[in-house]
């Protein structure tokens, strides 16, 4: 911990070993430590290199299609009684925010001389974005994906295969994102010389949480400039769904020093926080260590990691990024939750009011708009990150509605 930093001195975090207060760090096996140290040094050098940053900015503009629009949702605003703007990340190439981070990390992997890329994915959007970046640069790609997620995200599996990636189903554990990440880490330590592990969220050992956040900050940087241009002031609140939390951290970070901006993350409550079928690490968990970092986790009294549940494959993870844990503890961000039922209803509402089908992940953030709108009032301004498009989820939603009926 950086003991000289004030609690609200957000620029002082993480410290040199990647800790956000009590969270983050590098909890890895001895065989992995040289890899994460090398990665940390390589990222620090790339971050300070104007040529690297210019190259990344060029790809984000001409290939990804940035900046993404900030859209005033008039009918949604009238429905909830506040001025609601949607940051349209689902309009990016590949259909989500994930490509922002993948473009940054693929350029870093090339800079490091790595010739093979591996990744994990839940909803498949990170896998698609990784496969896309690998196709662009002609690199072999292996994507680990829980067998359950392979089944419920079949359209994205097809996309990855068409892009030339090998999708490896993982059947261990609950066969979801946590288990896919376990297998990817095993692959990484086995193939240390040529392989780059492209993590998709603000999780994992340092430098991944800060590196992924930095590559996703473009969301918040753009949104901040756009809302100032449109409204002439900052928003009263920013809102995003949180699993591991990369889309949320990308939106939140540029607003951390703006004390008048309320920050809301929305976790997946699954069947309800009172059940054992949810994925709300902060609202239903406690601190522990998983996948190389200390953070809030869903675990039993003995510290064993519990299986998470959400209708959303991208939020179906028993942990959360360590920076989110720290922001919760210091009180800078508020973490709410939404159930499967609430997320599906929010998806249907946005679809019918605005003609936009959101991803189930984003629908969790949409589900808490009534509460946030009540907090900011009728003249309040809300920016919500629409992190992905929902065509990948239509089969899951249809099956869910049929079971409920």
């Amino acid at each position: 911990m950086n003991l000289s930093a004030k609690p609200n001195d957000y620029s002082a975090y993480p410290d040199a070993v990647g800790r956000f207060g009590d969270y983050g760090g590098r909890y890895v096996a001895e065989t992995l430590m040289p890899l994460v140290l090398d990665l940390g040094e390589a990222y620090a050098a790339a971050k300070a290199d104007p040529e690297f940053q210019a190259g990344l900015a060029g790809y984000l503009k001409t290939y990804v299609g940035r900046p993404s629009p900030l859209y005033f949702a008039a009918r949604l605003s009238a429905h909830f009684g506040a001025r609601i703007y949607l940051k349209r990340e689902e309009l990016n190439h590949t259909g989500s925010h994930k490509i922002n981070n993948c473009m940054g990390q693929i350029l870093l992997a090339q800079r490091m001389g790595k010739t093979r890329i591996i990744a994990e994915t839940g909803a498949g959007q990170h896998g698609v974005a990784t496969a896309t970046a690998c196709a662009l640069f002609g690199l072999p790609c292996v994507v680990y994906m829980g067998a359950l997620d392979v089944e419920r995200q079949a359209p994205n599996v097809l996309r990855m295969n068409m892009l030339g990636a090998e999708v490896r189903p993982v059947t261990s554990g609950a066969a979801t994102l946590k288990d896919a990440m376990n297998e990817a880490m095993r692959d990484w330590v086995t193939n240390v010389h040529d392989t780059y592990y492209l993590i998709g969220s603000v999780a994992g050992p340092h430098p991944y949480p800060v590196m992924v956040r930095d590559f996703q900050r473009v969301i918040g940087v753009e949104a901040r400039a756009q809302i100032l241009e449109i409204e002439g002031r900052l928003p009263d609140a920013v809102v995003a769904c949180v699993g591991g939390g990369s889309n949320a951290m990308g939106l939140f970070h540029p607003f951390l020093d703006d004390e008048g901006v309320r920050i809301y993350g929305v976790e997946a409550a699954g069947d309800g926080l009172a059940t054992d079928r949810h994925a709300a690490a902060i609202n239903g968990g406690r601190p522990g260590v998983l996948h190389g970092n200390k953070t809030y986790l869903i675990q039993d009294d003995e510290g064993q990691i519990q299986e998470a549940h959400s209708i959303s494959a991208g939020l179906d993870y028993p942990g959360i990024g360590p920076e989110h844990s720290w922001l919760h503890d210091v009180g800078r961000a508020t973490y709410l939750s939404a159930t499967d039922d609430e997320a599906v209803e929010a998806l249907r509402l946005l679809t019918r009011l605005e003609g936009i089908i959101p991803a189930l992940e984003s629908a969790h953030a949409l589900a808490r708009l009534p509460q946030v709108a009540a907090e900011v009032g009728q003249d309040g301004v809300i920016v919500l990150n629409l992190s992905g498009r929902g065509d990948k989820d239509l089969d899951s939603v249809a099956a869910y509605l049929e079971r409920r009926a």
Side-chain angles (χ1 to χ4, degrees):
M1 182 189 298
N2 187 344
L3 295 178
S4 65
K6 298 177 295 183
N8 62 346
D9 186 7
Y10 303 108
S11 63
Y13 295 87
D15 63 14
V17 294
R19 297 192 72 86
F20 300 90
D22 289 334
Y23 305 102
R26 298 184 181 107
Y27 294 83
V28 297
E30 185 177 351
T31 50
L32 269 181
M33 187 60 79
L35 296 180
V36 297
L37 292 176
D38 287 348
L39 178 60
E41 292 176 2
Y43 175 60
K47 186 176 181 179
D49 184 353
E51 185 175 346
F52 176 87
Q53 295 297 336
L56 173 58
Y59 280 109
L60 292 178
K61 179 180 180 180
T62 63
Y63 190 71
V64 175
R66 305 206 69 90
S68 64
L70 187 67
Y71 167 70
F72 176 61
R75 297 188 67 204
L76 195 68
S77 296
H79 184 83
F80 288 118
R83 295 182 61 78
I84 300 169
Y85 289 84
L86 305 178
K87 184 59 171 162
R88 300 289 304 277
E89 289 298 293
E90 95 283 7
L91 295 180
N92 293 337
H93 180 45
T94 71
S96 81
H97 68 291
K98 292 295 188 181
I99 191 67
N100 304 324
N101 169 57
C102 288
M103 290 307 304
Q105 287 202 57
I106 206 77
L107 293 175
L108 180 62
Q110 289 190 308
R111 182 185 176 101
M112 295 177 68
K114 301 300 182 180
T115 57
R116 176 177 178 265
I117 307 297
I118 62 171
E120 86 296 326
T121 196
Q125 289 301 108
H126 175 61
V128 168
T130 302
T132 298
C134 287
L136 176 63
F137 292 105
L139 295 172
C141 177
V142 174
V143 178
Y144 289 93
M145 191 173 188
L148 176 61
D149 294 336
V150 169
E151 179 180 346
R152 61 181 173 175
Q153 296 293 320
N156 276 342
V157 174
L158 178 59
R159 293 169 74 193
M160 285 183 273
N161 288 333
M162 290 185 68
L163 287 160
E166 177 190 351
V167 179
R168 295 186 181 175
V170 177
T171 57
S172 59
T176 54
L177 182 57
K178 170 181 68 70
D179 313 293
M181 199 166 186
N182 289 338
E183 290 302 317
M185 284 192 161
R186 291 188 185 100
D187 185 317
W188 192 27
V189 76
T190 303
N191 300 284
V192 295
H193 299 296
D194 66 343
T195 296
Y196 183 94
Y197 181 15
L198 205 163
I199 289 181
S201 196
V202 285
H206 180 64
Y208 281 108
V210 67
M211 177 170 65
V212 177
R213 179 201 74 193
D214 287 350
F215 288 139
Q216 293 292 2
R217 280 186 81 254
V218 65
I219 301 170
V221 169
E222 287 178 4
R224 196 175 189 279
Q226 289 166 327
I227 199 66
L228 283 171
E229 180 180 359
I230 297 168
E231 289 280 345
R233 68 180 183 90
L234 292 174
D236 296 288
V238 294
V239 188
C241 66
V242 180
S246 65
N247 93 91
M249 207 64 250
L251 176 65
F252 296 170
H253 195 261
F255 292 98
L256 289 182
D257 291 326
D258 301 309
E259 294 182 1
V261 179
R262 304 176 193 182
I263 296 175
Y264 296 95
V266 183
E267 298 186 295
D271 291 344
L273 296 179
T275 75
D276 60 359
R277 284 173 53 79
H278 65 80
I282 284 180
N283 286 287
R286 56 191 173 85
V289 175
L290 178 68
H291 293 149
N293 73 106
K294 182 180 180 181
T295 190
Y296 274 84
L297 301 168
I298 303 170
Q299 51 189 310
D300 63 19
D301 293 340
E302 282 72 45
Q304 296 299 307
I305 303 302
Q306 300 295 285
E307 301 298 347
H309 164 75
S310 171
I311 188 175
S312 163
L315 303 183
D316 201 351
Y317 182 68
I320 192 170
E323 190 166 7
H324 287 293
S325 295
W326 173 65
L327 291 175
H328 164 73
D329 278 12
V330 300
R332 181 61 187 98
T334 300
Y335 291 86
L336 310 172
S337 66
T339 64
D340 289 351
D341 281 347
E342 291 170 323
V344 170
E345 288 308 309
L347 181 151
R348 298 172 77 188
L349 181 68
L350 184 68
T351 302
R352 292 173 180 178
L353 288 183
E354 297 289 348
I356 299 171
I357 305 175
L360 277 169
E361 290 79 18
S362 309
H364 284 73
L366 290 162
R368 289 280 69 83
L369 278 176
Q371 182 174 342
V372 177
E375 289 282 340
V376 303
Q378 187 170 3
D379 295 325
V381 175
I382 300 169
V383 172
L384 184 144
N385 196 23
L386 203 64
S387 57
R389 69 189 188 208
D391 47 337
K392 68 182 179 62
D393 294 318
L394 294 182
D395 287 345
S396 295
V397 171
Y400 184 82
L401 292 174
E402 183 177 348
R403 288 195 302 271
R404 195 172 68 177

